[in-house]
Amino acid sequence: MFDESLLDDPDGLSRADLHGLLRGAAESGARVRTAVRDAAEAGIDALRPDGRPRAVLVAGPGPAGGSTADLLAALAGDSCPVTLIRPAGVAPAPGALRWTLPGWTGPLDLLLVASPDGTEPGLALLLEQAYRRGCTVVTVSPAGSPLADATAQVRGLAIPLTVTPYEAAMAGATPRNDDSLVPLPTGPGTLWSLLTPLLALADRIGLAEAPPAALEALADRLDHIAERCGPAIATYSNPAKTLAAEVADTLPLIWTEGELAAAVGRRFATVLAALAGRPALAAELPEALTAHGTLLAGDFAAGADPEDFFRDRVEESEALHARVVLLRERGPDVTSPAGAARELALHRDTPVSELEADEDSSPLETAADLLATTDFAAVYLALAARPARP
């Protein structure tokens, strides 16, 4: 159940925000600036690479690692293949996850490891594999963590994870029985702490365009979005609150156009599940029209079950219907499938929410527009949720 009235109650949102999610989203710009400085102090600015690596491998626990790899791959484009190494094992069991390098990995490749806590033993074993293969290693994890120590042992580059004073205070506070004081690893701020140093590295090795000026512009754009999407801004003029209200109590079908938008769409589906506990499906256009077409004609269609109009619904929860969320990197042109997507949704009586980056935005600014807005929307959905009546 979703309490829409809470969206325009900043004090109520603050009381509901036990994990500091709104603060994490609002401080993303400052976090990017600090992460750039931390990366420079770690030695990224002093790197003199001979050229781009043959391949970039990315590993990390949970959704954060996958989102980091996805966004790096989208920003790198065709310059170099970026591959996520998926773990095997039982995730809830401490130390049970294991990562394995592909058989072809060698001295020409680069391994990037992004971990919000740096305590996974399996990642330290992965670094040992990379060392034996002669693969270059760069990690982002908390300073002094086991992963940072393991990076030094294999002569890799360890970049400290940027944390805010608020997060440090929360981490040092005494948690309640439900650990509600602990910052969530899937929170909006954590992604930028992991991604920013890797963007600076990507610029040094020619993987993506992310010079210091571009990263400063990224931070400025994140600040601007935080002003537009903050809790004090009313829903009618707040794109994140509007999106949260539109997709609440629906099944979001996140349709994306463009590689960067596709990465953001998958991230949005991930945080909706991880933060707000809400299901969502992401697919790229034009394939989404086929992949989700049956959903729009079945039980999740807005007009489903019309013949049962007179059924008594007082004691029943409202049926879950689909809503299309269209994410685009730029305005549609004559070759864009966005028009066909709207027509299909209109034909099936399915509402559509649209989010598009500002015109003439750089790839990094486009990522900021889409990522920050959808992250804020997921946070508002999480905070305004209320349990259903028994």
Side-chain angles (χ1 to χ4, degrees):
M1 301 292 291
F2 181 75
D3 185 3
E4 188 172 346
S5 64
L6 190 62
L7 292 180
D8 289 323
D9 180 4
D11 292 336
L13 288 171
S14 179
R15 288 191 298 269
D17 192 8
L18 302 178
H19 297 283
L21 297 175
L22 281 173
R23 183 185 292 266
E27 294 178 345
S28 294
R31 191 184 298 256
V32 166
R33 295 185 185 92
T34 304
V36 170
R37 292 195 296 270
D38 291 344
E41 292 174 0
I44 282 185
D45 287 353
L47 292 178
R48 297 293 181 267
D50 295 331
R52 284 196 299 264
R54 178 182 61 177
V56 175
L57 303 168
V58 183
S67 296
T68 300
D70 220 4
L71 290 163
L72 274 179
L75 291 167
D78 298 330
S79 64
C80 178
V82 178
T83 303
L84 174 67
I85 303 177
R86 300 186 182 278
V90 184
L97 293 181
R98 292 292 183 270
W99 288 261
T100 303
L101 292 174
W104 46 261
T105 307
L108 298 179
D109 304 312
L110 171 64
L111 173 63
L112 305 178
V113 180
S115 173
D117 54 45
T119 60
E120 303 82 3
L123 290 176
L125 296 176
L126 179 66
L127 299 191
E128 294 179 7
Q129 294 179 45
Y131 181 70
R132 291 194 298 267
R133 302 275 191 93
C135 180
T136 303
V137 172
V138 177
T139 64
V140 181
S141 64
S145 66
L147 183 59
D149 294 340
T151 305
Q153 293 175 9
V154 299
R155 300 179 182 178
L157 176 61
I159 303 173
L161 181 75
T162 298
V163 296
T164 65
Y166 175 71
E167 284 180 333
M170 288 179 68
T174 302
R176 296 190 284 188
N177 292 333
D178 59 357
D179 290 335
S180 59
L181 289 176
V182 179
L184 296 179
T186 48
T190 303
L191 176 66
W192 293 110
S193 289
L194 294 171
L195 183 61
T196 301
L198 299 183
L199 290 174
L201 175 65
D203 182 71
R204 298 297 295 178
I205 64 178
L207 183 66
E209 291 290 333
L215 293 176
E216 181 63 30
L218 167 65
D220 292 341
R221 183 64 65 91
L222 288 170
D223 288 342
H224 173 67
I225 297 168
E227 293 176 359
R228 293 178 57 204
C229 298
I233 306 302
T235 300
Y236 68 87
S237 59
N238 187 318
K241 288 184 179 179
T242 299
L243 180 59
E246 289 174 347
V247 303
D249 301 323
T250 72
L251 173 64
L253 303 181
I254 305 168
W255 293 356
T256 60
E257 184 179 359
E259 291 297 323
L260 191 52
V264 174
R266 290 186 287 269
R267 158 78 179 178
F268 189 28
T270 296
V271 295
L272 282 175
L275 298 183
R278 295 175 178 271
L281 299 174
E284 300 178 47
L285 291 171
E287 291 85 354
L289 303 180
T290 302
H292 293 168
T294 305
L295 280 171
L296 298 184
D299 293 340
F300 292 101
D305 201 18
E307 66 278 2
D308 205 9
F309 178 79
F310 295 102
R311 186 178 71 244
D312 184 6
R313 292 176 171 82
V314 174
E315 300 299 328
E316 300 180 13
S317 60
E318 187 176 349
L320 188 67
H321 294 310
R323 184 183 187 98
V324 171
V325 179
L326 187 58
L327 301 182
R328 296 193 310 274
E329 299 175 15
R330 60 190 61 84
D333 55 25
V334 293
T335 64
S336 171
R342 293 192 201 91
E343 289 181 11
L344 175 61
L346 179 64
H347 179 67
R348 301 290 172 80
D349 295 323
T350 301
V352 179
S353 300
E354 299 193 39
L355 185 61
E356 178 184 317
D358 290 345
E359 291 186 21
D360 301 323
S361 296
S362 69
L364 288 179
E365 291 170 333
T366 296
D369 286 346
L370 300 180
L371 273 171
T373 305
T374 52
D375 274 353
F376 263 109
V379 168
Y380 286 126
L381 277 168
L383 299 184
R386 54 186 173 88
R389 290 177 297 176

